[in-house]
Amino acid sequence: MAETPMEPVKTADFWFDPMCPWAWLASRWLLEVEKVRPVKARWHVMSLSVLNEGRDELPQKYRDIMERGWGPVRVAIAAEQRFGNEILGPLYTALGTRFHLRGEEVGLPAVRDALKELDLPEDLADAAESADYDEALRRSHHDGMDRVGEDVGTPVISVDGVSFFGPVVTPAPKGEAAGRLWDGVVLVAGTDGFFELKRTRTRDPIFD
């Protein structure tokens, strides 16, 4: 009996800001998708701080959060420049675990701890307070956002030439449920002329 040819693995490019809880949930879903579909995630940095620049109508509390948000994404870009794209997945997991699962504040202590966990050089943390990486950060940010428009946020996913914002889901589906959601999201996002499917969120992020 002839063997059934294996379906080629597709790359799913995923843009994240490590402080966004909804991107974190979507990223954990995508890792589940990797287990049940021929899909491999490739991680990229976007920035809610860049996205919200100049929006003076935002409440002060939110502007303060955006100010703290520069540090982690600058460090992520610095790490990618020094160690390659492959470091972003582990670094994102290390940062997101601290921000979302442990409830640590977005700031240098958590960033330094994440770097230490991965045996990355401590001096990478210096990038958090330096504008030297902002040009590269903005390039990475716009590489993702320009595919879907500026009226959305994170996450952005791009696969097979189809790009979309989301999904916004909680808790993150697991196993075959994750695969079914992937199938449906890619199907509707790839439909010509399809733009939006939405309902009001009635749950806060559920981390497990």
Side-chain angles (χ1 to χ4, degrees), residues 51-95:
L51 185 68
N52 287 286
E53 275 185 310
R55 296 187 179 181
D56 295 333
E57 74 278 7
L58 294 175
Q60 184 61 48
K61 179 180 179 180
Y62 196 73
R63 292 204 299 272
D64 291 343
I65 293 172
M66 292 301 101
E67 186 61 32
R68 293 199 306 272
W70 285 100
V73 290
R74 285 169 169 167
V75 171
I77 289 292
E80 182 183 28
Q81 288 189 356
R82 196 180 304 186
F83 296 101
N85 178 263
E86 294 76 14
I87 197 60
L88 285 182
L91 182 56
Y92 181 23
T93 293
L95 290 169

Side-chain angles (χ1 to χ4, degrees), residues 1 7 10 20 37 57 64 68 78 88 97 110 150 159 165 167 177 184 191 196 203:
M1 174 184 268
E7 190 174 347
K10 297 179 179 180
C20 176
R37 295 292 187 271
E57 74 278 7
D64 291 343
R68 293 199 306 272
L88 285 182
T97 296
E150 290 293 332
V159 59
F165 160 70
T191 300
E196 189 169 356
R203 300 179 188 172

Side-chain angles (χ1 to χ4, degrees), residues 17-67:
D17 184 317
M19 72 175 181
C20 176
W22 299 106
W24 172 256
L25 287 166
S27 71
R28 301 310 97 177
W29 160 72
L30 186 55
L31 292 177
E32 286 289 313
V33 172
E34 287 186 335
K35 301 174 185 177
V36 295
R37 295 292 187 271
V39 172
K40 180 65 176 175
R42 181 166 57 195
W43 308 99
H44 306 274
V45 182
M46 65 84 66
S47 170
L48 292 172
S49 300
V50 171
L51 185 68
N52 287 286
E53 275 185 310
R55 296 187 179 181
D56 295 333
E57 74 278 7
L58 294 175
Q60 184 61 48
K61 179 180 179 180
Y62 196 73
R63 292 204 299 272
D64 291 343
I65 293 172
M66 292 301 101
E67 186 61 32

Side-chain angles (χ1 to χ4, degrees), residues 1-16:
M1 174 184 268
E3 292 186 3
T4 303
M6 294 184 63
E7 190 174 347
V9 175
K10 297 179 179 180
T11 298
D13 290 290
F14 186 106
W15 279 262
F16 67 91

Side-chain angles (χ1 to χ4, degrees), residues 156-190:
V156 168
I157 299 177
S158 185
V159 59
D160 279 350
V162 175
S163 303
F164 51 90
F165 160 70
V168 176
V169 60
T170 187
K174 294 180 172 58
E176 183 57 25
R180 289 195 300 270
L181 177 58
W182 173 261
D183 297 339
V185 166
V186 173
L187 175 64
V188 298

Side-chain angles (χ1 to χ4, degrees), residues 92-179:
Y92 181 23
T93 293
L95 290 169
T97 296
R98 285 158 177 77
F99 297 157
H100 307 301
L101 301 188
R102 300 181 188 173
E104 297 179 21
E105 184 176 283
V106 175
L108 273 176
V111 169
R112 289 194 177 103
D113 193 46
L115 295 173
K116 183 178 180 180
E117 177 189 324
L118 299 176
D119 293 322
L120 291 172
E122 294 181 9
D123 66 347
L124 281 173
D126 296 341
E129 298 178 343
S130 170
D132 291 348
Y133 298 92
D134 287 2
E135 183 178 348
L137 171 61
R138 293 176 191 279
R139 282 198 305 269
S140 181
H141 173 88
H142 287 292
D143 184 29
M145 298 306 299
D146 290 351
R147 300 168 190 242
V148 291
E150 290 293 332
D151 58 339
V152 298
T154 179
V156 168
I157 299 177
S158 185
V159 59
D160 279 350
V162 175
S163 303
F164 51 90
F165 160 70
V168 176
V169 60
T170 187
K174 294 180 172 58
E176 183 57 25

